[in-house]
Amino acid sequence: MNEKPPNIAIIGLGLIGSSIALAAKQACAAANIVGFDNSAEVRSEAKQIGLPVELVDDIKRAVVDADIVFGGACGRHGRGCTADNLAFEIRGYINRYWVNKAVCYG
């Protein structure tokens, strides 16, 4: 059975998020990788280094078509990074069933 690779969204494009993007691309583990960071400076750096992601400046655009979301940026808001907190950050853009696929790092 040849299953289509998932669409991946990465929330937070710092060291860990960019490493996940590079590893997913290198392993051909994603059909599409979308990256979001709150910081325009970080997004600019990601573009400069050629990070293999579709860069977006809106978290909704990052997650709306994602099958899997990797996230760590939610810790910046003082709530710690858990799947529930990531779901809170992207509430309304995904359905509850999908939240179980969230992976947080940080």
Side-chain angles (χ1 to χ4, degrees):
M1 173 165 79
N2 290 335
E3 194 171 310
K4 177 186 161 218
N7 291 317
I8 295 176
I10 301 174
I11 310 302
L13 298 173
L15 181 62
I16 296 173
S18 60
S19 296
I20 290 170
L22 290 169
K25 182 67 172 184
Q26 198 170 47
C28 299
N32 188 41
I33 305 171
V34 179
F36 168 80
D37 200 288
N38 277 327
S39 168
E41 182 179 342
V42 171
R43 291 192 309 270
S44 178
E45 289 173 11
K47 185 176 182 177
Q48 286 176 344
I49 66 169
L51 196 64
V53 300
E54 174 190 341
L55 293 168
V56 296
D57 60 2
D58 177 1
I59 197 168
K60 178 181 179 179
R61 288 179 49 212
V63 302
V64 72
D65 293 323
D67 299 308
I68 301 171
V69 173
F70 292 92
C74 52
R76 295 180 187 162
H77 302 293
R79 290 188 297 272
C81 190
T82 66
D84 285 340
N85 290 341
L86 179 58
F88 179 81
E89 294 293 322
I90 57 179
R91 67 193 178 280
Y93 309 139
I94 58 171
N95 64 48
R96 183 64 188 158
Y97 166 79
W98 177 92
V99 171
N100 294 325
K101 298 181 185 178
V103 176
C104 291
Y105 55 85

